[in-house]
Amino acid sequence: LNGRDIQIYFHPIILNEKVIAVTWSDTFLPPQLSVNRKIVILLMFIVPLGLIISLILLIAIIKNQSDGIKRIKYGLEAMSSDLSSRIEEMGGDIGNIAYSINDMAENLQKKEKIEEKLVRAEKLAALGHLISGVAHEIRNPLGIIRGTVQLMERDFKNEKGLTEYIRIVKEQSDRESKVIQELLDYARPSK
């Protein structure tokens, strides 16, 4: 019938609770109904297939995110003992997080180096202060020794043998004064 669907109806005729005859009729179905039926049949296959594909994609996305989170977790564990280790590069939002963590670790490393330099500078400053104090404490008695030797040189210049001792003491005190001056120059803060 030109590709059109026919609907057949059967209806029993009942008399005294007995079926005495059956009537039937044929009706052409509208073409829209057959198209709708094809769509329903198609949907019965497409919707479950789409759900299965969506589920597979969802599982893949979750696994990818989970793997990325695990990499970040292991990278952070490695960084906790060694700040120079880095998280491997990844793509997407997880990759942005890994990049930020690596950047933060690098900044922390720079900060640690600056703190080490600061501690070293503080120790050197304390050492310079200590050297300055020690040099002044040694310089005062050395000045007294030098002054005493000069008095001895003036008062006992005719004493035989003493001149040589006075010369040695003066040389040694001058040498020690020079060392003390170098210490003081080192300890003095520079620009």
Side-chain angles (χ1 to χ4, degrees):
L1 297 172
N2 296 330
R4 292 190 59 190
D5 290 332
I6 299 173
Q7 178 75 42
I8 302 173
Y9 296 98
F10 293 96
H11 188 67
I13 298 174
I14 301 172
L15 182 64
N16 295 331
E17 295 185 13
K18 273 187 135 189
V19 176
I20 59 170
V22 175
T23 63
W24 78 84
S25 68
D26 296 337
T27 304
F28 285 110
L29 293 175
Q32 298 86 0
L33 190 61
S34 68
V35 171
N36 288 345
R37 192 177 310 140
K38 288 177 184 174
I39 290 173
V40 168
I41 291 170
L42 205 62
L43 286 176
M44 285 174 44
F45 291 108
I46 290 177
V47 168
L49 184 64
L51 288 174
I52 290 171
I53 292 172
S54 298
L55 185 63
I56 291 170
L57 288 174
L58 182 65
I59 289 171
I61 290 170
I62 290 173
K63 183 177 179 343
N64 186 27
Q65 295 293 327
S66 176
D67 289 346
I69 290 171
K70 283 180 185 175
R71 284 191 219 156
I72 288 176
K73 177 186 168 203
Y74 295 137
L76 287 172
E77 287 173 357
M79 280 183 196
S80 68
S81 60
D82 179 17
L83 203 54
S84 65
S85 67
R86 295 290 178 262
I87 299 171
E88 63 185 75
E89 291 186 21
M90 297 176 265
D93 291 337
I94 296 286
N96 290 339
I97 292 170
Y99 175 80
S100 296
I101 290 172
N102 286 339
D103 191 44
M104 181 180 64
E106 195 159 323
N107 289 338
L108 284 173
Q109 232 178 349
K110 288 176 184 175
K111 181 182 174 232
E112 281 183 353
K113 287 179 183 177
I114 290 170
E115 286 175 350
E116 287 174 6
K117 287 180 181 179
L118 184 62
V119 167
R120 197 173 311 124
E122 287 174 354
K123 285 181 181 178
L124 286 174
L127 181 64
H129 188 68
L130 178 69
I131 288 172
S132 175
V134 168
H136 281 295
E137 289 300 318
I138 293 174
R139 187 179 235 180
N140 290 340
L142 200 57
I144 292 171
I145 292 170
R146 174 97 172 132
T148 304
V149 168
Q150 286 175 344
L151 287 174
M152 287 174 63
E153 186 179 34
R154 186 188 66 189
D155 292 344
F156 301 108
K157 60 181 166 183
N158 294 333
E159 289 291 324
K160 230 177 184 191
L162 193 59
T163 311
E164 181 63 25
Y165 293 128
I166 290 173
R167 184 189 63 76
I168 291 173
V169 170
K170 277 175 66 175
E171 275 180 17
Q172 293 304 315
S173 67
D174 286 344
R175 191 170 69 93
E176 292 306 315
S177 281
K178 187 176 179 183
V179 168
I180 289 172
Q181 187 59 46
E182 288 174 358
L183 284 174
L184 285 173
D185 290 343
Y186 175 77
R188 186 175 300 125
S190 65
K191 292 180 183 178

